[in-house]
């Protein structure tokens, strides 16, 4: 019998569930820049370069994530009692997972920097403006949905990161 509350089971009292997840983009990089290639004035060379960076990033990330999944499966408690010996065995697996988690995030920054080398400062600024406009639009839609769910007397406040 597995005694862990896995995802998908009811967890009452949670509207928003915050998980310890990597900040690394999932699978692809520069999707916004590529989606707005005309507005950003990307050349064919820049587009091909960003696609190559994204493909290489995804391949390396997949290797890391598969190994993390393997280690997670090995570490999972499936039967019996967690004895000190079994905990010690899992510590080795968890240490490797932690190293891979960090490698995943470092990979993100390494490949983001490689892609940015292909772009001008003006293009980076324009892509950043597009990102923030899309993010603000999404947050406004979320705020309206939450306000409708909670009621008209609740006020949301926004903080601005500097």
């Amino acid at each position: 019998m597995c005694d862990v509350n896995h995802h998908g089971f009811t967890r009452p009292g949670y509207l928003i569930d915050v998980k310890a997840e990597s900040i690394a983009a999932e699978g692809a990089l520069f999707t916004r820049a590529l989606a707005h290639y005309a507005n950003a004035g990307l050349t064919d060379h820049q587009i091909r370069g960003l696609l190559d960076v994204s493909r290489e990033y995804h391949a390396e990330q997949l290797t890391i994530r598969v190994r993390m999944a393997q280690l997670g499966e090995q570490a999972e408690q499936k039967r019996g009692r967690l004895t000190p010996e079994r905990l010690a065995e899992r510590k080795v697996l968890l240490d490797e997972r932690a190293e891979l988690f960090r490698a995943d995030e470092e990979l993100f920054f390494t490949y983001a920097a490689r892609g940015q080398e292909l772009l001008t400062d003006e293009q980076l600024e324009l892509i950043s403006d597009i990102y923030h406009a899309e993010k603000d639009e999404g947050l406004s839609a979320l705020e309206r949905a939450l306000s409708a769910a909670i009621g008209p007397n609740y006020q949301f406040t926004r903080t601005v990161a500097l």
Side-chain angles (χ1 to χ4, degrees):
M1 173 180 102
C2 186
D3 56 1
V4 176
N5 187 16
H6 290 286
H7 297 293
F9 287 86
T10 304
R11 297 195 332 233
Y14 292 95
L15 175 61
I16 298 173
D17 191 8
V18 179
K19 301 174 186 170
E21 294 182 343
S22 174
I23 60 172
E26 188 71 37
L29 294 178
F30 296 101
T31 55
R32 186 168 285 101
L34 292 165
H36 297 280
Y37 68 92
N39 291 345
L42 299 183
T43 66
D44 289 345
H45 172 75
Q46 288 173 312
I47 292 169
R48 284 191 305 276
L50 292 177
L51 288 170
D52 287 343
V53 165
S54 185
R55 178 186 45 75
E56 292 166 15
Y57 168 76
H58 178 68
E60 284 193 49
Q61 185 183 57
L62 188 58
T63 299
I64 290 171
R65 300 267 174 109
V66 166
R67 180 64 183 147
M68 287 180 76
Q70 291 168 336
L71 291 167
E73 176 62 25
Q74 291 171 9
E76 188 175 330
Q77 173 66 13
K78 296 181 179 82
R79 295 174 191 243
R81 186 173 303 280
L82 280 170
T83 63
E85 294 79 22
R86 287 184 172 171
L87 288 172
E89 291 168 0
R90 281 167 176 76
K91 184 181 180 324
V92 173
L93 300 172
L94 296 177
D95 286 347
E96 186 177 345
R97 271 182 60 96
E99 290 172 18
L100 289 169
F101 187 90
R102 181 179 177 93
D104 185 53
E105 292 192 330
E106 288 178 350
L107 187 73
F108 168 67
F109 288 109
T110 298
Y111 277 89
R114 282 183 53 196
Q116 285 184 354
E117 290 174 5
L118 299 169
L119 304 170
T120 66
D121 290 342
E122 294 79 16
Q123 288 170 322
L124 283 171
E125 185 68 29
L126 180 59
I127 293 163
S128 179
D129 290 345
I130 291 168
Y131 163 74
H132 287 288
E134 289 178 354
K135 180 186 64 146
D136 290 346
E137 182 180 320
L139 288 174
S140 292
L142 178 60
E143 180 179 349
R144 288 189 301 274
L146 289 173
S147 292
I150 294 170
N153 295 329
Y154 189 83
Q155 292 291 322
F156 287 95
T157 58
R158 289 190 186 183
T159 58
V160 178
L162 301 178

